[in-house]
Short mmCIF file of all heavy atoms in Angstrom, two decimals:
data_model
loop_
_atom_site.label_atom_id
_atom_site.label_comp_id
_atom_site.label_asym_id
_atom_site.label_seq_id
_atom_site.Cartn_x
_atom_site.Cartn_y
_atom_site.Cartn_z
N LEU A 1 11.50 -2.54 -17.90
CA LEU A 1 11.52 -3.40 -19.08
C LEU A 1 10.67 -2.81 -20.19
O LEU A 1 9.58 -2.31 -19.95
CB LEU A 1 10.97 -4.78 -18.68
CG LEU A 1 10.97 -5.87 -19.73
CD1 LEU A 1 12.39 -6.28 -20.10
CD2 LEU A 1 10.19 -7.08 -19.20
N ALA A 2 11.19 -2.91 -21.44
CA ALA A 2 10.45 -2.43 -22.62
C ALA A 2 10.63 -3.42 -23.75
O ALA A 2 11.41 -4.37 -23.65
CB ALA A 2 10.97 -1.04 -23.02
N GLY A 3 9.93 -3.19 -24.84
CA GLY A 3 9.99 -4.08 -26.01
C GLY A 3 8.84 -5.07 -26.00
O GLY A 3 7.95 -5.03 -25.16
N ARG A 4 8.89 -5.98 -26.99
CA ARG A 4 7.80 -6.96 -27.12
C ARG A 4 7.62 -7.80 -25.87
O ARG A 4 6.48 -8.08 -25.48
CB ARG A 4 8.05 -7.86 -28.33
CG ARG A 4 7.73 -7.18 -29.65
CD ARG A 4 7.82 -8.15 -30.82
NE ARG A 4 9.12 -8.78 -30.94
CZ ARG A 4 10.15 -8.27 -31.62
NH1 ARG A 4 10.02 -7.11 -32.24
NH2 ARG A 4 11.30 -8.90 -31.68
N VAL A 5 8.71 -8.20 -25.22
CA VAL A 5 8.54 -9.04 -24.02
C VAL A 5 7.87 -8.25 -22.90
O VAL A 5 7.07 -8.81 -22.15
CB VAL A 5 9.86 -9.68 -23.55
CG1 VAL A 5 10.42 -10.63 -24.59
CG2 VAL A 5 10.89 -8.66 -23.17
N ALA A 6 8.15 -6.96 -22.79
CA ALA A 6 7.49 -6.14 -21.77
C ALA A 6 5.99 -6.05 -22.04
O ALA A 6 5.19 -6.11 -21.10
CB ALA A 6 8.11 -4.74 -21.75
N LEU A 7 5.64 -5.93 -23.31
CA LEU A 7 4.22 -5.87 -23.66
C LEU A 7 3.54 -7.21 -23.41
O LEU A 7 2.38 -7.26 -22.99
CB LEU A 7 4.05 -5.43 -25.09
CG LEU A 7 4.53 -3.99 -25.35
CD1 LEU A 7 4.54 -3.68 -26.83
CD2 LEU A 7 3.69 -2.99 -24.58
N ASP A 8 4.27 -8.32 -23.64
CA ASP A 8 3.71 -9.65 -23.34
C ASP A 8 3.43 -9.78 -21.84
O ASP A 8 2.39 -10.31 -21.45
CB ASP A 8 4.67 -10.75 -23.79
CG ASP A 8 4.74 -10.90 -25.29
OD1 ASP A 8 3.89 -10.33 -26.01
OD2 ASP A 8 5.68 -11.58 -25.76
N VAL A 9 4.36 -9.30 -21.01
CA VAL A 9 4.16 -9.37 -19.55
C VAL A 9 2.96 -8.49 -19.16
O VAL A 9 2.10 -8.91 -18.40
CB VAL A 9 5.44 -8.95 -18.79
CG1 VAL A 9 5.17 -8.80 -17.30
CG2 VAL A 9 6.56 -9.94 -19.03
N ALA A 10 2.91 -7.27 -19.69
CA ALA A 10 1.80 -6.37 -19.38
C ALA A 10 0.47 -6.98 -19.82
O ALA A 10 -0.51 -6.96 -19.06
CB ALA A 10 2.02 -5.02 -20.05
N ASP A 11 0.43 -7.52 -21.03
CA ASP A 11 -0.80 -8.14 -21.53
C ASP A 11 -1.24 -9.30 -20.65
O ASP A 11 -2.43 -9.47 -20.37
CB ASP A 11 -0.62 -8.63 -22.97
CG ASP A 11 -0.51 -7.50 -23.98
OD1 ASP A 11 -0.84 -6.34 -23.64
OD2 ASP A 11 -0.07 -7.78 -25.12
N ALA A 12 -0.27 -10.11 -20.20
CA ALA A 12 -0.60 -11.26 -19.34
C ALA A 12 -1.14 -10.78 -17.99
O ALA A 12 -2.10 -11.37 -17.45
CB ALA A 12 0.63 -12.14 -19.14
N LEU A 13 -0.57 -9.71 -17.45
CA LEU A 13 -1.04 -9.19 -16.17
C LEU A 13 -2.42 -8.55 -16.30
O LEU A 13 -3.24 -8.65 -15.39
CB LEU A 13 -0.02 -8.21 -15.57
CG LEU A 13 1.27 -8.88 -15.08
CD1 LEU A 13 2.32 -7.83 -14.75
CD2 LEU A 13 1.00 -9.77 -13.87
N VAL A 14 -2.69 -7.91 -17.42
CA VAL A 14 -4.03 -7.36 -17.66
C VAL A 14 -5.03 -8.50 -17.84
O VAL A 14 -6.12 -8.49 -17.25
CB VAL A 14 -4.03 -6.41 -18.88
CG1 VAL A 14 -5.46 -6.05 -19.30
CG2 VAL A 14 -3.23 -5.14 -18.57
N ALA A 15 -4.67 -9.51 -18.64
CA ALA A 15 -5.56 -10.66 -18.87
C ALA A 15 -5.87 -11.41 -17.57
O ALA A 15 -6.98 -11.90 -17.38
CB ALA A 15 -4.95 -11.61 -19.90
N GLU A 16 -4.89 -11.50 -16.69
CA GLU A 16 -5.06 -12.18 -15.41
C GLU A 16 -5.95 -11.38 -14.46
O GLU A 16 -6.46 -11.92 -13.48
CB GLU A 16 -3.67 -12.40 -14.78
CG GLU A 16 -3.68 -13.06 -13.43
CD GLU A 16 -2.28 -13.31 -12.91
OE1 GLU A 16 -1.69 -12.38 -12.33
OE2 GLU A 16 -1.81 -14.44 -13.09
N GLY A 17 -6.11 -10.08 -14.73
CA GLY A 17 -6.88 -9.23 -13.83
C GLY A 17 -6.04 -8.55 -12.78
O GLY A 17 -6.56 -7.92 -11.87
N THR A 18 -4.72 -8.65 -12.92
CA THR A 18 -3.82 -8.00 -11.97
C THR A 18 -3.79 -6.49 -12.20
O THR A 18 -3.84 -5.71 -11.26
CB THR A 18 -2.40 -8.58 -12.10
OG1 THR A 18 -2.45 -9.96 -11.75
CG2 THR A 18 -1.42 -7.86 -11.19
N LEU A 19 -3.69 -6.08 -13.47
CA LEU A 19 -3.61 -4.67 -13.82
C LEU A 19 -4.80 -4.24 -14.66
O LEU A 19 -5.31 -5.03 -15.47
CB LEU A 19 -2.34 -4.38 -14.63
CG LEU A 19 -0.99 -4.61 -13.99
CD1 LEU A 19 0.12 -4.28 -14.98
CD2 LEU A 19 -0.84 -3.80 -12.72
N ALA A 20 -5.18 -2.97 -14.50
CA ALA A 20 -6.12 -2.36 -15.44
C ALA A 20 -5.35 -2.07 -16.72
O ALA A 20 -4.12 -1.91 -16.68
CB ALA A 20 -6.66 -1.07 -14.84
N PRO A 21 -6.01 -2.01 -17.87
CA PRO A 21 -5.30 -1.67 -19.11
C PRO A 21 -4.53 -0.36 -18.94
O PRO A 21 -4.99 0.58 -18.30
CB PRO A 21 -6.42 -1.53 -20.14
CG PRO A 21 -7.50 -2.43 -19.62
CD PRO A 21 -7.43 -2.29 -18.11
N LEU A 22 -3.33 -0.33 -19.51
CA LEU A 22 -2.42 0.81 -19.36
C LEU A 22 -2.69 1.88 -20.41
O LEU A 22 -3.05 1.58 -21.54
CB LEU A 22 -0.98 0.35 -19.49
CG LEU A 22 -0.50 -0.65 -18.44
CD1 LEU A 22 0.83 -1.25 -18.86
CD2 LEU A 22 -0.38 0.03 -17.10
N GLU A 23 -2.46 3.13 -20.01
CA GLU A 23 -2.49 4.26 -20.93
C GLU A 23 -1.14 4.96 -20.82
O GLU A 23 -0.63 5.16 -19.71
CB GLU A 23 -3.61 5.23 -20.57
CG GLU A 23 -5.00 4.66 -20.75
CD GLU A 23 -6.06 5.69 -20.43
OE1 GLU A 23 -5.86 6.89 -20.72
OE2 GLU A 23 -7.09 5.28 -19.87
N ALA A 24 -0.57 5.34 -21.96
CA ALA A 24 0.74 5.98 -21.97
C ALA A 24 0.71 7.28 -21.17
O ALA A 24 -0.18 8.11 -21.34
CB ALA A 24 1.19 6.26 -23.40
N GLY A 25 1.68 7.43 -20.27
CA GLY A 25 1.81 8.64 -19.48
C GLY A 25 0.86 8.78 -18.33
O GLY A 25 0.90 9.77 -17.61
N ALA A 26 -0.01 7.79 -18.13
CA ALA A 26 -1.02 7.89 -17.08
C ALA A 26 -0.73 6.89 -15.97
O ALA A 26 -0.20 5.81 -16.22
CB ALA A 26 -2.40 7.61 -17.66
N PRO A 27 -1.09 7.25 -14.74
CA PRO A 27 -0.96 6.27 -13.66
C PRO A 27 -1.84 5.06 -13.96
O PRO A 27 -2.93 5.19 -14.51
CB PRO A 27 -1.48 7.01 -12.42
CG PRO A 27 -1.44 8.45 -12.78
CD PRO A 27 -1.61 8.52 -14.27
N GLY A 28 -1.35 3.89 -13.61
CA GLY A 28 -2.10 2.66 -13.80
C GLY A 28 -2.69 2.20 -12.48
O GLY A 28 -2.50 2.84 -11.45
N ALA A 29 -3.39 1.08 -12.53
CA ALA A 29 -4.02 0.57 -11.32
C ALA A 29 -3.78 -0.92 -11.18
O ALA A 29 -3.92 -1.66 -12.15
CB ALA A 29 -5.52 0.85 -11.36
N VAL A 30 -3.41 -1.32 -9.98
CA VAL A 30 -3.31 -2.73 -9.65
C VAL A 30 -4.67 -3.14 -9.11
O VAL A 30 -5.17 -2.57 -8.15
CB VAL A 30 -2.21 -2.99 -8.59
CG1 VAL A 30 -2.19 -4.46 -8.20
CG2 VAL A 30 -0.86 -2.57 -9.13
N LEU A 31 -5.28 -4.11 -9.77
CA LEU A 31 -6.63 -4.55 -9.39
C LEU A 31 -6.58 -5.71 -8.41
O LEU A 31 -7.40 -5.80 -7.51
CB LEU A 31 -7.41 -4.96 -10.64
CG LEU A 31 -7.55 -3.89 -11.73
CD1 LEU A 31 -8.23 -4.46 -12.96
CD2 LEU A 31 -8.29 -2.68 -11.19
N ASP A 32 -5.61 -6.62 -8.61
CA ASP A 32 -5.48 -7.81 -7.75
C ASP A 32 -4.05 -8.31 -7.84
O ASP A 32 -3.64 -8.84 -8.87
CB ASP A 32 -6.45 -8.90 -8.21
CG ASP A 32 -6.34 -10.18 -7.40
OD1 ASP A 32 -5.61 -10.19 -6.37
OD2 ASP A 32 -6.96 -11.18 -7.78
N ALA A 33 -3.29 -8.14 -6.79
CA ALA A 33 -1.88 -8.50 -6.80
C ALA A 33 -1.63 -9.95 -6.39
O ALA A 33 -0.51 -10.33 -6.10
CB ALA A 33 -1.09 -7.57 -5.88
N HIS A 34 -2.69 -10.78 -6.41
CA HIS A 34 -2.54 -12.14 -5.90
C HIS A 34 -2.89 -13.22 -6.92
O HIS A 34 -3.07 -14.38 -6.54
CB HIS A 34 -3.36 -12.31 -4.63
CG HIS A 34 -2.97 -11.32 -3.57
ND1 HIS A 34 -1.77 -11.37 -2.92
CD2 HIS A 34 -3.61 -10.22 -3.10
CE1 HIS A 34 -1.68 -10.36 -2.07
NE2 HIS A 34 -2.79 -9.65 -2.17
N GLY A 35 -2.95 -12.89 -8.19
CA GLY A 35 -3.14 -13.90 -9.23
C GLY A 35 -1.89 -14.74 -9.37
O GLY A 35 -0.83 -14.40 -8.81
N PRO A 36 -1.95 -15.84 -10.10
CA PRO A 36 -0.78 -16.73 -10.21
C PRO A 36 0.47 -16.04 -10.75
O PRO A 36 1.56 -16.19 -10.18
CB PRO A 36 -1.26 -17.83 -11.17
CG PRO A 36 -2.75 -17.78 -11.11
CD PRO A 36 -3.12 -16.38 -10.78
N LEU A 37 0.36 -15.29 -11.84
CA LEU A 37 1.53 -14.61 -12.39
C LEU A 37 1.98 -13.48 -11.48
O LEU A 37 3.18 -13.31 -11.24
CB LEU A 37 1.24 -14.08 -13.80
CG LEU A 37 2.40 -13.36 -14.48
CD1 LEU A 37 3.63 -14.27 -14.61
CD2 LEU A 37 1.97 -12.84 -15.85
N ALA A 38 1.03 -12.73 -10.94
CA ALA A 38 1.36 -11.64 -10.02
C ALA A 38 2.11 -12.17 -8.81
O ALA A 38 3.11 -11.58 -8.37
CB ALA A 38 0.09 -10.92 -9.59
N THR A 39 1.66 -13.28 -8.28
CA THR A 39 2.34 -13.89 -7.13
C THR A 39 3.73 -14.35 -7.51
O THR A 39 4.71 -14.10 -6.79
CB THR A 39 1.51 -15.07 -6.59
OG1 THR A 39 0.23 -14.56 -6.18
CG2 THR A 39 2.20 -15.74 -5.41
N ARG A 40 3.85 -15.00 -8.66
CA ARG A 40 5.15 -15.49 -9.12
C ARG A 40 6.16 -14.35 -9.31
O ARG A 40 7.35 -14.52 -9.06
CB ARG A 40 4.97 -16.23 -10.42
CG ARG A 40 6.24 -16.80 -10.95
CD ARG A 40 5.95 -17.71 -12.09
NE ARG A 40 7.19 -18.32 -12.50
CZ ARG A 40 7.36 -18.90 -13.64
NH1 ARG A 40 6.37 -18.99 -14.48
NH2 ARG A 40 8.51 -19.41 -13.95
N LEU A 41 5.67 -13.19 -9.76
CA LEU A 41 6.56 -12.06 -10.01
C LEU A 41 6.71 -11.13 -8.81
O LEU A 41 7.41 -10.13 -8.88
CB LEU A 41 6.05 -11.26 -11.22
CG LEU A 41 6.08 -12.01 -12.55
CD1 LEU A 41 5.43 -11.18 -13.65
CD2 LEU A 41 7.52 -12.39 -12.93
N GLY A 42 6.07 -11.46 -7.69
CA GLY A 42 6.24 -10.67 -6.47
C GLY A 42 5.64 -9.28 -6.54
O GLY A 42 6.18 -8.33 -5.97
N ILE A 43 4.51 -9.15 -7.22
CA ILE A 43 3.93 -7.83 -7.44
C ILE A 43 3.43 -7.19 -6.14
O ILE A 43 3.60 -5.99 -5.93
CB ILE A 43 2.84 -7.90 -8.51
CG1 ILE A 43 3.53 -8.11 -9.86
CG2 ILE A 43 1.95 -6.67 -8.51
CD1 ILE A 43 2.62 -8.31 -11.02
N ALA A 44 2.87 -7.96 -5.25
CA ALA A 44 2.35 -7.39 -4.00
C ALA A 44 3.46 -6.68 -3.22
O ALA A 44 3.27 -5.57 -2.73
CB ALA A 44 1.70 -8.48 -3.15
N SER A 45 4.63 -7.29 -3.15
CA SER A 45 5.72 -6.65 -2.41
C SER A 45 6.26 -5.44 -3.16
O SER A 45 6.69 -4.46 -2.55
CB SER A 45 6.85 -7.64 -2.13
OG SER A 45 7.43 -8.08 -3.34
N ALA A 46 6.22 -5.46 -4.48
CA ALA A 46 6.73 -4.34 -5.28
C ALA A 46 5.89 -3.08 -5.09
O ALA A 46 6.41 -1.98 -5.10
CB ALA A 46 6.78 -4.71 -6.75
N ILE A 47 4.59 -3.25 -4.93
CA ILE A 47 3.72 -2.08 -4.81
C ILE A 47 3.44 -1.71 -3.36
O ILE A 47 2.84 -0.67 -3.10
CB ILE A 47 2.39 -2.29 -5.57
CG1 ILE A 47 1.61 -3.46 -4.99
CG2 ILE A 47 2.65 -2.46 -7.05
CD1 ILE A 47 0.20 -3.58 -5.50
N ALA A 48 3.89 -2.53 -2.41
CA ALA A 48 3.61 -2.28 -0.99
C ALA A 48 4.43 -1.11 -0.44
O ALA A 48 4.01 -0.47 0.52
CB ALA A 48 3.88 -3.53 -0.17
#
């Protein structure tokens, strides 16, 4: 996913503490895959 909605999702996941802030072209980090939005979006299973 890309565009403004993709950035809204990324911003929400960073604000929730699920993801570390992203850098273009760099590997990112999942900090906590069990926040409310992360759980709703099935992030733990996606990265497992």
Side-chain angles (χ1 to χ4, degrees):
L1 183 67
R4 283 187 303 272
V5 297
L7 295 171
D8 289 347
V9 171
D11 289 346
L13 289 169
V14 169
E16 178 177 83
T18 297
L19 297 180
L22 298 167
E23 294 182 36
V30 176
L31 303 175
D32 178 8
H34 302 291
L37 181 59
T39 300
R40 182 170 184 197
L41 295 174
I43 288 176
S45 64
I47 62 170

